[in-house]
Amino acid sequence: SVPALDLLAALTKNLNKLKVQPGYPNWEGDHNSTWCNLLGFRVGMDLGLDISPLLNPAGIGYTTANAAAQNARNAKIRGEIFECTESAAQFFANRGNFVLAVAENPDPKKSGHMGVVVPSNNPQHMNDPLIGQQGADPGFRPASQSFGGLEVHYYLIIFSKEE
């Protein structure tokens, strides 16, 4: 298989799942949830990668984008994932590697955001990576139009899930 196509297939499959659609209720019945975090986690899982360093102990459904951003910083320090620049993020995604774009909201009462860097042959995306995202405005767009001005960090996740 072609790694970049595998990445796109996993992303498309998960973008179309009901449980990541805006308005789908969370575990508390709240319909204002946006599920950007679930999209990123599920794409990584479908690619057979170990996303556990990003998760809170309670698991996927209990790890917000803000929590994933904090967990990613700690996982980077432990050498479990690797932070990279915008251009490196697009470079790795173009080769089918899984790169999460994560932004923590400095206001703890507001949500952060997550997206998956998508393969693209557009040279402009080397400085402004193409993001596949779920949330209030799902779809594909450059990072500069995806994170509402929040500071974005890019994390390359390459370790496979151990069986």
Side-chain angles (χ1 to χ4, degrees):
S1 69
V2 178
L5 294 179
D6 294 342
L7 175 58
L8 283 171
L11 184 58
T12 302
K13 169 189 163 190
N14 284 287
L15 269 171
N16 292 321
K17 281 189 174 177
L18 177 63
K19 290 185 180 177
V20 299
Q21 299 303 319
Y24 187 86
N26 67 11
W27 55 91
E28 297 171 343
D30 179 6
H31 287 266
N32 291 320
S33 299
T34 60
W35 306 109
C36 61
N37 54 334
L38 293 183
L39 174 68
F41 299 149
R42 288 183 175 151
V43 170
M45 290 170 57
D46 282 357
L47 294 170
L49 298 171
D50 182 9
I51 61 156
S52 64
L54 301 171
L55 302 178
N56 285 346
I60 289 176
Y62 299 91
T63 306
T64 64
N66 281 339
Q70 294 164 3
N71 294 341
R73 277 196 308 275
N74 293 331
K76 178 183 84 164
I77 292 167
R78 295 188 305 266
E80 296 171 331
I81 62 175
F82 305 96
E83 187 168 6
C84 57
T85 64
E86 292 173 327
S87 59
Q90 190 64 63
F91 174 87
F92 287 123
N94 289 351
R95 282 142 189 84
N97 292 288
F98 181 61
V99 181
L100 271 181
V102 184
E104 180 178 5
N105 197 315
D107 181 344
K109 295 180 181 176
K110 294 184 179 178
S111 179
H113 190 53
M114 289 175 59
V116 177
V117 181
V118 179
S120 169
N121 61 5
N122 182 335
Q124 291 178 315
H125 292 146
M126 292 306 289
N127 295 314
D128 190 9
L130 184 61
I131 304 296
Q133 64 183 359
Q134 193 50 271
D137 192 15
F140 300 93
R141 63 192 47 77
S144 61
Q145 299 171 23
S146 300
F147 291 90
L150 295 174
E151 182 180 351
V152 182
H153 294 266
Y154 298 91
Y155 295 101
L156 173 65
I157 300 172
I158 59 172
F159 295 115
S160 297
K161 180 80 175 158
E162 295 180 23
E163 300 292 326

